[in-house]
Amino acid sequence: MTAAIGNASLRKSASGKARQLWNRVDGLWFELARRQRLAVFVLGALPLLIRVSVLHWYPIPQPKVADEFSHLLIADTFASGRIVNPTHPFWRHFETLYEFQRPVYASIYTPGQGLVLAAGQVIAGHPWWGVWASCGLMCAAIGWMLFAWVSPGWALLGGLLSATQLGITSYWMNSYWGGSMTAFGGALALGALPRLLNSRRPALAFAFALGLAIVFSIRPYEGALFACALGIILVVGLMRGLLRARAQGSGWPGLVRGTFPVMLPITAVILIALAAFAYYNFRVTGSPWLMPYQLSQTMYGVPRGLTFQAPPPQPPGLTQDQLAVYRWQARSQVRNGTKWRAFASFYLGGPLIAALCFLPLAWREPRMYLLAAVCIFVGFGASLYWYYVNHYLAPLTGVVFGLVVLGLRQLWNWRVLPSLVRHSAVVTLLLLHLVINFRDKFIVKPVEVLGSRVERYAVSRAKFESQLTNAPGRHLVFVRANPGHPYDAGWIYNRADIDKAKVVWAREIDPQEDVRLIRYFAGRTVWLLEVDAKPIRLTKLSTMPPG
């Protein structure tokens, strides 16, 4: 009897301590959420500090795929003080995937992601620091956005979920492919939208337009869809406000003038962004109306367009790798089911998908319908593109976490269940989310887009480049690949200023042309790299005297 009473007292004491701990955490949580600026700062700083703290074990990542090297070419070009590079006199030796050699030496991609990388290269000495900073901006912007859509406590939770899901361990932080800056632009526009409808401040209009411009500069197709969805919501919201004011007796001239603080900044930012975009197009393609993507379709037959469009005709004169990519894209098409499974796995994972199951309980929430409508509109449009990688839908990142926290909030407040059950269910989902994200290893590789073969070649290339970079003198490397060499495991990627690069990677063409290139780069040590030998073999050929 005495033992039973003692055990009951211990249980009561433990329960009381747990309740005190919970109350303390709960109080700190809501105190932070109440201080919105501090909360946004913490959300942005947290993933940055965590990632920096593990740099010793997980160093700055190496680029692995052609898309990353193409974005890095834009970065190196901008960091060198140029918009494009002149065509090299021996350009045929340097042809590679997703890069132009003519009419200028440039990337086929739009400049937004390259600008982020260039900022890291110029300010901190390495492009990855631009990636690192953009992930912090993304998490901060998602938190700021959610403060306008849900209550403060849930907004703080949504920002933390975005950091744990995408801001630390995903390839958005650990590659050069992009995603986080697009998500930042999307969250900036989404956060400004409801605030703008409630308070027509020019600063909010500027943030709204700037967010759309950022998204468009990185993902033009998805950015256009996203801008259409948000533009419709903004126009409808402004019109409803005008009609309400008119019903209260306000005159039309004053009402129209009242929209100027909104429309003038938006119009100015969009016009400036479009002018800059057109100028970049002109420098790359020779026409302000022709995007690099479109010129690439003419010259290389890639990227393929929408699913209902016929693939571009095969251009003449493609290299082995370019022809293989053209044939792959012409014959392939990713099924929508595959796209949506990849989307759900990357942005959500099982526990957060479960949270979405409770969204129907929010049927009285008008903002839930707005977020869902944006997601469906942009998602349907993106599904018409023939391929899918997870950063394509990065503008929807804020939308996704907005819907997640709405679902979690509905479960937390679902009074059909006892409070202990529903609160425990939310905590369990959050703990599962953390365990699944960190169980394998702290920094994961983008396994959803990279195969082991590509990974193996990328590691080998980085090893050889480091070896030659640290060796005395300057180097010219001829890359020899067998006819069956995988096109997605490329080696020939160069700096923006090829002639000044420490290591120059070149394609073998024929003995006469190769000798001409060697003479052009007189004074360099010449190497032959046989990438399909087992093991990969690097052989010194000669050192040509200068002149």
Side-chain angles (χ1 to χ4, degrees):
M1 181 74 172
T2 305
I5 294 173
N7 288 335
S9 300
L10 286 173
R11 285 195 299 270
K12 185 175 181 181
S13 175
S15 175
K17 290 180 179 179
R19 189 177 296 108
Q20 288 178 1
L21 177 62
W22 174 262
N23 290 337
R24 182 172 177 79
V25 171
D26 188 62
L28 290 173
W29 180 271
F30 282 100
E31 176 61 23
L32 177 60
R34 186 179 63 82
R35 302 170 66 180
Q36 181 176 323
R37 291 184 180 180
L38 177 61
V40 169
F41 174 80
V42 169
L43 290 173
L46 184 64
L48 302 184
L49 294 174
I50 293 175
R51 184 62 180 91
V52 165
S53 69
V54 296
L55 272 178
H56 176 74
W57 299 278
Y58 302 99
I60 290 174
Q62 295 287 344
K64 297 179 177 64
V65 294
D67 309 72
E68 293 179 89
F69 286 102
S70 189
H71 289 303
L72 287 167
L73 173 60
I74 300 176
D76 199 29
T77 303
F78 288 167
S80 302
R82 297 185 298 275
I83 298 176
V84 296
N85 306 289
T87 297
H88 196 277
F90 291 90
W91 61 268
R92 290 179 59 209
H93 286 276
F94 308 125
E95 283 201 286
T96 190
L97 300 180
Y98 311 142
E99 294 178 8
F100 295 115
Q101 298 296 330
R102 299 171 298 150
V104 292
Y105 175 36
S107 169
I108 73 166
Y109 292 121
T110 49
Q113 176 65 12
L115 194 60
V116 173
L117 301 176
Q121 184 170 332
V122 171
I123 297 171
H126 196 285
W128 181 75
W129 291 109
V131 177
W132 174 82
S134 67
C135 284
L137 289 173
M138 172 191 72
C139 296
I142 290 173
W144 180 75
M145 168 234 159
L146 291 174
F147 273 103
W149 288 84
V150 295
S151 57
W154 292 103
L156 180 58
L157 176 62
L160 284 173
L161 290 175
S162 73
T164 55
Q165 182 72 16
L166 303 175
I168 304 169
T169 62
S170 81
Y171 78 92
W172 287 8
M173 174 67 94
N174 299 290
S175 78
Y176 303 90
W177 232 346
S180 54
M181 199 63 186
T182 318
F184 166 74
L188 194 63
L190 279 164
L193 179 59
R195 292 177 171 96
L196 196 54
L197 294 175
N198 292 327
S199 172
R200 298 177 185 178
R201 292 163 49 199
L204 292 172
F206 175 81
F208 177 80
L210 180 62
L212 296 182
I214 290 171
V215 173
F216 187 81
S217 73
I218 303 174
R219 297 296 311 172
Y221 175 59
E222 294 83 0
L225 294 170
F226 187 72
C228 285
L230 268 60
I232 291 171
I233 295 173
L234 177 63
V235 170
V236 170
L238 289 175
M239 290 299 299
R240 290 180 63 185
L242 290 176
L243 292 174
R244 281 197 301 268
R246 177 60 179 166
Q248 295 171 2
S250 300
W252 281 114
L255 292 175
V256 172
R257 284 194 299 272
T259 64
F260 286 179
V262 174
M263 301 312 299
L264 286 180
I266 291 176
T267 303
V269 171
I270 289 177
L271 287 178
I272 292 171
L274 290 176
F277 202 73
Y279 180 68
Y280 184 80
N281 290 344
F282 173 74
R283 293 297 304 273
V284 175
T285 69
S287 169
W289 319 115
L290 184 67
M291 294 172 58
Y293 282 123
Q294 295 169 298
L295 181 61
S296 177
Q297 288 179 323
T298 301
M299 294 182 64
Y300 308 117
V302 296
R304 184 179 164 182
L306 302 179
T307 54
F308 53 80
Q309 294 176 314
Q314 179 179 321
L318 298 179
T319 66
Q320 173 185 314
D321 292 346
Q322 291 167 345
L323 181 59
V325 169
Y326 171 80
R327 289 174 175 170
W328 163 61
Q329 294 201 9
R331 297 170 183 170
S332 303
Q333 182 171 312
V334 179
R335 296 178 180 274
N336 284 334
T338 303
K339 296 176 185 178
W340 289 113
R341 282 193 295 273
F343 175 85
S345 174
F346 178 77
Y347 286 89
L348 296 165
L352 300 188
I353 291 174
L356 296 182
C357 296
F358 297 92
L359 274 179
L361 299 176
W363 63 274
R364 292 182 178 178
E365 292 265 6
R367 293 187 175 184
M368 187 271 287
Y369 293 103
L370 290 178
L371 292 174
V374 172
C375 190
I376 292 169
F377 181 83
V378 177
F380 174 76
S383 71
L384 299 178
Y385 189 62
W386 78 279
Y387 196 60
Y388 176 74
V389 186
N390 285 312
H391 55 270
Y392 289 3
L393 286 176
L396 294 180
T397 307
V399 173
V400 169
F401 287 100
L403 293 172
V404 165
V405 294
L406 282 174
L408 290 172
R409 189 181 71 177
Q410 294 306 123
L411 174 58
W412 184 272
N413 295 325
W414 194 23
R415 302 200 178 278
V416 172
L417 299 175
S419 61
L420 179 62
V421 173
R422 44 195 164 90
H423 296 173
S424 299
V426 171
V427 172
T428 301
L429 289 176
L430 296 177
L431 290 175
L432 284 174
H433 161 77
L434 291 175
V435 169
I436 290 172
N437 269 284
F438 291 91
R439 66 181 176 183
D440 295 330
K441 51 185 175 179
F442 191 68
I443 304 297
V444 299
K445 297 169 184 175
V447 292
E448 65 274 5
V449 291
L450 292 181
S452 59
R453 176 188 63 188
V454 179
E455 180 81 13
R456 187 170 61 252
Y457 278 113
V459 170
S460 298
R461 186 191 183 281
K463 182 189 74 172
F464 284 116
E465 184 165 49
S466 176
Q467 173 186 331
L468 294 175
T469 300
N470 294 323
R474 297 194 294 174
H475 306 272
L476 171 63
V477 183
F478 282 100
V479 177
R480 178 179 294 172
N482 294 337
H485 182 77
Y487 63 84
D488 53 357
W491 289 75
I492 302 171
Y493 305 109
N494 286 294
R495 299 292 300 267
D497 192 336
I498 296 176
D499 288 353
K500 293 182 179 179
K502 171 89 173 184
V503 181
V504 174
W505 302 83
R507 182 184 305 279
E508 285 188 312
I509 296 180
D510 59 53
Q512 293 77 19
E513 286 295 317
D514 294 349
V515 168
R516 288 182 62 209
L517 184 67
I518 291 171
R519 288 174 178 163
Y520 179 86
F521 284 110
R524 289 179 180 262
T525 303
V526 183
W527 303 84
L528 174 65
L529 184 67
E530 298 171 88
V531 297
D532 290 314
K534 295 184 179 179
I536 298 172
R537 188 161 52 244
L538 180 67
T539 306
K540 183 177 179 180
L541 297 181
S542 65
T543 302
M544 290 291 290

